Structure formats: C-alpha cells, structure tokens
Amino acid sequence: MAACSKDELQYIINHVVLPPRLPDQSEDVVLVRTAEKALLNELLSVLRRFLPHCAPESTAAWSIVQRMLSCCITAKLLGDLSEHLLTEAVLAMEPEDVFPVRIRAQNAAIIFRRLEDVVSLECFQLSPRSADVVGCMGSLRRPFPAFAVAVPRNVATESTFCRELFTMLEKLDTEVVQEMMPKSRKASREWSEFRDTCHPGLISELVMASVAAVGEPTQTIQLQKRIRDDVIWGNSLLPWRRSTLWLMLRVAIHTTLLKSMDSVQAHAEFKNFIAYFLTNLLKLTADLGTPLDICKALQVKIARRVVKLGTSVRPFVLEAATIYMRDATEQQGKVWQDIQQKDAQRGTHVDVTTLEQDTSLTLVNSRAALDLALCETKQDPQLAASIPTSSYCEWLTYDSDELPCVNEAIVSSSERVYALTQYEHWVGHSSSAWLVTALVQPNARHCTSIRRSAECYQRLALASYSESPEQLSMMLLTLGDLWYALDRIAGALLPLLHHYSPELSPEIFDVLLLPKTEQMQRLQRLQLHIEARHQSTQTRSPSMFADPSANDCDCFAYKYFDQSEDHQKLRQTILAEARTRKDEKKQEWRRKSGQYTTLTQEKNGLTCTSKLDYRGGTVHDDGNCRKCDLSREIKSLSIAIFEWPLPENEAQSRLAVFYLRCPEVVIAWQALTWTLVHDLGRPSATDRDTPAANLLTYNGLSSYHTSGGARLMLASATKSVTASHYHGSPFPITWEKVFSMNGLQWALYDSRSSCWVHQQQEPPSFTSRCRLQLPDGPYQNLQYTVDTTSHSQNQVLAAQTECSSDLSIHEYVAFGSLRADGEKTQWLNICRELRATSLSWNTESVCCLVKQSAWQACSIGTTTLRTAHKVFESSEFTTDLLSNLEIMLDSIQANRQCLHTMELVIVLALRALSLAVGLHADRCFDLLRQCRSTVSAWTYAMEDLLRLATDPEEIAAIQCGLLKSATLCKLTFDVDTCHHSRALTTSDDLLYWAMASMTIQNNTPGTQSSLPRSLRLALLRDAKLSQSYNIQLHEMLRSTNNRGLDRAISRIWSAFQSSDGIWERHDQCDAQWMCKKTLAGSQVEPQKVFYDVLSGELLVDGRPLGLLPKEYTSHAVFTRVFGAQILRVSTSDMAGMQYMTAAEEYGYRFYFSLRGADLIIRAKTAMTVLELISHRNLIGDFPTRFVEDFVHWLDLTTSVVEFR
C-alpha cells in the first residue's frame, strides 16, 4: 500500500467515509493537493490487488480503470491543468480508454472516452449549490453525465483541435468568471458569492457547444447516483465541502463499468470495489494509529456496504472485510484492556519504603489553622473601648458644579440605604436651587454630570430597592427630577431639542406610590413640564430615537447638521480624504491590471517544462516550470476593495457625521431618557442582537470619532464590505468591482442592552415596579383589583366562582370592589369599609390593598391632590376618616396580634396628615402618638415574653413580632419634612424613637434573607426614615432636651447613671455616632456610652450591651453555624475569648472572639472545650462533601477533629 501521512489519511477518511465529526472549514490548499495525490495512489494500489480476484468477464473493464488512474497521475490532474500534458494524455489514449478532467474554477468535469471511431466528451457539475445541499433532508439524487458530445476520432486527435480545446480548459481551470458565480446583494450592488459553488455553464454550454460544432450530441448511459454532501461553516472564510475529485473518480469508474457490462453486474462490481477500498483504508488506519472513533465509523461503513451487497459480495472482499474488522476489533479490545489494567494497577502497589509517609494525612491547607488553635501561648485580648467609625461624610461626593454623586467605592452594603436617602433628600430639596444657578450659565458639563450621577444612583437604588415598590417609586421620582433638570439645561443649550418629543408621557408616572404631599408636588411639576414639552413638539418631528428613512429631512440629526458648521466641515473633510484614497486605489488597480496582462501574455506563450524520469519517459518538471511559476504569480495578484466611507443616502450620511461628534448634551439627554423609557419602563429588551459593525470601530470613519462614552451608538446589522469575505478580489477585475458604495445601514444601537433601539416597540410602563404584590393565600387571584382602578364592581361579582374557600363571598366582593369603578371612589370605599366588618383588616393582603389605594398618585388634576385624593379638600370627609381610625385603634389596643391593623391605622393617619386641608393636623398627631404609645406597650410585653422563651422557633417568632412592632412605632414619625420638628420634639418622642431603634438593632439578625419579605421591606423603610431624621436627632441630643435617650438606655441598662451633660459627637466629622460618659462614683469608674443615631446601636466602652456586635453576627462563619439566631452574651470568662453566651445553647456554652478577620468560636461543657475550624481551611485536604456538608470541631484536649 502506498505511503500516506496521518493528515492525508484523515482527509481521505473525511471525504470518502463522512464520519460524524467533520471539519468546519475548508482544508489547507497544500494538504488538499498532497491528500488528493495520496487518494489517487491508494485507489490505484487497491485496484492492483483487486484485479487478480476479478471475474474474467470484468477484467477488461477494470484494466481500463487502472489505465485511467495511472493516466490521471501522469497528467498531473491535481494541480493546474496544462494544455501540453492534457494533449499528450488524450493523444495517447487507446480504444476504450477513459480520461477524466476536472475544471476546478468552473465546478465541472469532462470525461474523455475513446471509442472505435469517435471520442466522446461527457460533462457534469461537480459540487451542487450550498442551498440544495443544506435544504436536502438526505442524499441528493443526481444524473451523470448531464450532457455528452461525440467528436470524430480524426478531428479529436488533430493537434489544432486539442491545442485550442485544452488551452481553453487550462484557462477556465484557474480563472473565476464573476458572471457564473452566485450573487448576493450588499452595499446596493451585487457581489459574487465565492463561498458557494460556481455554475458550470461555461463548460456545459460554452465548451460543449463549441465541441458540438465539430461533432454531435450523443446519447450515453446515464447513471443515477445518491450523493451525500455537506456544507459546514464555522467562522471561516470558506466552508467544508466534499472532495470533487472523489466524486469525479467514482462517476468515471462507475460509468466505465456500465459501458462494459450489464447494469446489475456493473453495480455489484463497483460496490465490491468500494467496499474493498474501505477495507484497505481500515487496515491503514490501524497501521497509522488513527483514533478509535474514526476506526469505528469506518467499520460501520464497511459493515453497511457488505450487508447491502448481500449475495453479490465477492468472497475475497468479505474475507478481507472480516479479517481487517476482526483485527480492528481486537486492537480496540487491547486498548480497552490496557486502560482497565492501568486502572486496576492504580493504587494497588504499595511501596513499603514510604509507608509511613503515604498513610499519614499531610493536611497541607488546614495544618496551620489546627496548629494555631492548639497553641497554648494565646494571649488574652484586652477589650479596650473601641471607637466606632463611619464614612458618613464620604457617602456623597460633589463635583466642581456642586452636584452630588453616590460614592460607589466607599458606600458599603450596610450604609448604602443611608447614602441613597441622603442623595434623594438633596434631589428633592436642593436640586431646584441648583438648577436655577445652572441655568444662569448653562454648560454641557452640567448635562454630563447629571447623567453620570443619575446612572450611579440608579445602579445602587435598583440593587437596594428591588423588593420594595414604595422605594422603587421614590427612585423613579428622583430620576424624573434629574431628567427634568437635564431637559431644562439641554433645552437652554439646544433649543432645537424642544421641538422634538420628550419621549416620556405624563401618564407613565401616575402609578408611583408617593405617601407624602411633598413628593406629589414634585411629581406635579414634572408632569406639567412633560405636558408643556409635548405641546411644543412640532407635529412632523419624529422620535429622538427613530432611525431616519430614505428621505427623512425632519430627524434631529438632519436638522442639527444644517445648523452646525463643525459637522458640515467634518463631512467635507471626510469626503475630500475619501476622494484622495479613491484615486490612490485606482492607481493601484491600473498598476496591478497591467502586471496581470503582462504575466498572462507571457504565460500563454509558454509550454510546461518536462524532464526525463528514471524509465526514460517525460514527466512534468514542477521545480523548473516557468509557466507554472507564472500561474502561481498570477494567482497571488489581488486587490483590496475600496469602500466609500459615507452612505449614499443623504439622511444616513448626515446621521453618521452627527454621531461621529455627537454633542455631549444629546448623549446625556438620550442616555437618561432611554434609561427611564427602556431600562425601567420595559421588563426586558426584545430581539437581542450583536451588530456587524459600529461607528466606533468602522475603519472608514473611526479616526474621526470624538464623542466617546455614549450608550446609544450608531451600528449596522450589515457588514462593511471591507470586513466581509468580499474585502479582496483576484485579477482580472474591473474598476467598477473594486470601488464599492457604502453598504452599512446605520441605526441606533443600545450597547448596554445589546438591542436595536427601533425594535423596542413595547409601550413603556412603570406599573410592574410600583405594584404591591399580594402574598400567597386566598387573596392571590385578586391581584388585578390591587393593580388598577379600571375594573368594575360588576366584574368582581361576575367572578365570584373564583373565590377561595378560605374567604367568604362578602369579603371577596368587598376586597375586589375597594378600587373598582375609577380612582375617585377608592377613598370613599376605604372610609365606608372602616365602619363595616366585611374585610379582615389584620391580614397582609388587605394591608397591601389599602396602601396601594392610599399611596398611588393616579392621574394628574388641577391641584397637588390630583384626581384620586381630591376628596381630602372636604373637611367632613377627613373628620369622618379620622373618627373611624380612632374607633379602630380603640378596638385593637388590648390585642398585640393586630399588627397589620395597626399598620393600616398609622398609614391612613399619616396620609390624612399629609393630604388634609384645614385644622386636622392636631388630631392626626394625637392619633399617631396614641398609636405610638399602644405599639410601644406591645413591644414591652413581647420583650418580657422573649426573656422567658426557650424554644428556638418561639424565640424567632417573638423576635419577628418585636421587629414589626418597633418598625410600626417608628413609622408614626414618617411625616412630611415640614412636620418633622413637630413629630419629634418632646422627651417622650425621643424615648419612643430610641427604644424602637434599639429594639430593631437588637433583634435584627446578621442576615435578613431569613426574614419575611414584608419585614425586610419594613426594615428598609425604617433605615431610610432614620437617615431623614439624622440631623434633627443630632441637634436634639446636643441640646438639653435629650433626656428621652437617657431614659431609653435606663430601660435596658438599669445600672446606667447619666451625667447632666449633653451628648457629643465622638468625631467632628461624624454626625452618626454620639457619645456621653456615665456618672463617676467613689468606687465606680465612668464609662463611655456610644449611640448610633441611624441604626440605634448602643455600645458601652466599645462593646454591645448583651448582644454580639454586628461584625460577629454578619460573619460568614457565624451564619453558617447559627444562621439568623440572636444570642444573648456577656463578657467572657475564658482566656483568649471576648464574649460568651449568657445561657447554654444546645448543651454548650459558646465563646466568641475576633482575631483580625477570623471569627473564633468555642463550645464548652464541663469536660470538653471544642474550637470551630472554618471549613475553608479544609478545602483540598478532604473530599468536598466532607468539607461542605459538615461543621468541624477541634477538641483542644485530645486534638481530635470531629465532623458533625
């Protein structure tokens, strides 16, 4: 068998066998040439071994095939066709000889067949079109040949005829005729799609018609073959296609057999030969160590061939297949046995010389931690009074224009809510004054600063407020205020901008949940501004986010271009430089075209060089053939396509130039507007896509780009010609094909969401973000009655069949009808239901319904009260509402389980205080203070229960109740800013505030994920409330009116003896932590007490009072062992530890200490002291399950690690 490399063998198997895994790109040209030569040699070698076993009647036909293969090798059909070699081969043909010729560039083949007195030329297409291959479910059924012409032998053997014919074929073999290539349209012109197959018309129609002029069409035996092919393309220039040489040889062999014997015998002979060839390929794969999966695929192919032959299989073919397949199977078995033996031997042999080393745990990762735990020289840490620190002054940073921005690098997760609240307070109370100042001398820098500040705020707010519709509403209002300021400044700088739609509708903000009048006033201003902007918008003006159509003269970019001399000059510069580059490219084309003509003329005047072989015959001299050298040089000639940088369409051209240097004002305005419309107004982007080109990277224009950092950019879904596979072309080529107009279709693209702007057609809405979600339960199918006021009471009545069995029909109807029949009636319905008993007020679902009704802004009206809340202009209604609330409060005072009812009373009282017109404030404050007193009494009662509780589940339930009641107590202070001084003014007010704050601090677990969602939202609202009172609390504690805090501390620390002084800042830059010293006695040293006015945390000499510090409870090690459990602690009595539990937990007393960032936990009984080893220290020393699924305790006495 002929020598063959592994790569060549792999090529042959890929194209002959078609294994399951094929290349995804065309093979290297050098490999194709050598592999095809190897394929020819293999076929000839196998045929020589096949011939002796053939039947006598088929030997003559196979001899013809043998001479054909030998002639193909001699005539060098694998490279460029040579007129000289082709002429020699045809003239040397004997009767019945066959000679196939492949014309590669034309995707065609001609089989020359010498008969008695004629030479027939049979032509056919080689590779079918890609679309036909991909569109076919199985194999393609094709006839061979497609057309045949018979030429008299005396004409066919004339030197003139051969020279003219083969000169034409030699030229057609290398030159691609563009008119015969499939076409695709790009940049407003047609391009030759060279990745597809060429139409063979120049052979089947031109050459065959020319030959028919000296001969005549003839009927020949036509072969119908089922052809398997594939088109595999994976991010490469050319796809993988099956070898055309293999197809041509199969057709030539099969048709030759058909002309020499009957069809049944011919088919059997051909299929036996192919099976025999595959069998020899299998042997070759074994010799070269081909991967087993390839061998297996080849075995399956052979088996199918043999089975399909049935009784027609030749005995020697069956014998060879059996032997080689058995050998291959045995070889595969040996490989598998080797694998099994190696696996069986692994670990079974023990080297006794290293027995001690191999049987001991090295503990590479955990050794240091274990040694440290067992070290007896640990020092007992002294608990010096620590000084709390805070980054309060650095939560917001201010730019040169005094515009704040939340400092993302400094704000930790625990302080993020405080920073967001401080930022929101600035926007709500100081941004108007800042805007007035900015409008005096507006600057594009103002717009950029607002955009960056808003983007930073939005990122942090979405992360912190994701569960809270109330706080998301506050975020949307804040962003709306920032958009208002940006739009005002942008309009002052670019009056043209206000001729176009603001893209926001006033109604989109109607769904916001705004509990305070001051927020509704801000919303009123924003919506009135948007309405005014819509009125100033010109009728024909398209959207600021619309892509210009072919003749769109009204888009913003088009109009701005008319007014901008800079952009007009920029386009002139681009066009001038483009004309220069075009002239240079034309000179290059002329020079290379002349070079091509010269080389072609020289080549046509030469013949291929031959040399004598070792037998004395002539063979082609590859190394010294000048004609072949010229052919390769001609092939290497190519030219890059020149693409005009700007679109031909005027609107598209102006759009491209505009966004090359887009004004900062437009970038900022579009970014913030798109954030509101798309990021927040739509649930997700539709039709995510990656553009083929964008303005930043497009070679033709990228050097002119100066407006970086824009989220919305110009991009094109179509590729640039210079970035496609059309970017270069060989010669010959006309100038019209070298020059291309710009084929990019510019459109706005959102680089952050990866979507096209014009495809986002869903109307924006904030409803999903501002909707209180009903919890799981019997009310869940009534969510639609919470979301809107557009349903009618009749709809609710008609849907009674959907009522849950846990609800009565009366309550179902009452719940669904509260917001029915429009927004004007919902307050009247609330007031009526307060007197009735239809609703179960002490449920979370009813609470959600009432809060949605009370807080939602609804449609704009003539006053700040808007349409839905205009009823509060009536003093009688307010009086009636407060009376009903007072009655409800009286009914629940003795029942501390009515926390949801209490929340409703407080929410409605706060809303009445905010909305009521007239002298109702005193009554509202009295009601709120009565609620405060009641819920505080509930808190004290639950604290007593907590001290007596022992069951962990009972403790957790009581702590949740404590958190709820304490947050409700502080909720009574959540009034409009104008009422803050009245809500928190007396010593009693401060007492209630401080007690509630400390209760929340002491009962909040280190991680809040285990708490109910409603409680997490209450804690979030409480943190924002604390920040809003920060300055007032600070001033109150520094005055003589601070006894309320002292009284609160005395309630939880009976030994506290306050000095008569005021509370001071512990640091002049910190308004969060206040400190005060206790009274000193004859035998009592004064202690320093720290109080966090934001979180309510209390420290005595730097230690929490009875609780572990937050850095302990939020530590990953603590939460892994104790979860959200809150432990009561005291000062440790064990050396090296700081805290210990006040009572035994789970039969142990636990001790805690921090060493750097590591939390040390010990568990002690009368006989044993265990120390927790962090599971992170054991990673790599033990199996993952042993590390992740167990808690690891080191016995400090026995040095044994227990996995529990």
Side-chain angles (χ1 to χ4, degrees), residues 438-449:
L439 287 174
V440 175
Q441 290 184 335
N443 191 295
R445 185 183 65 252
H446 293 148
C447 298
T448 302
S449 297

Side-chain angles (χ1 to χ4, degrees), residues 612-618:
L612 294 176
D613 62 6
Y614 68 94
R615 296 175 181 174
T618 58

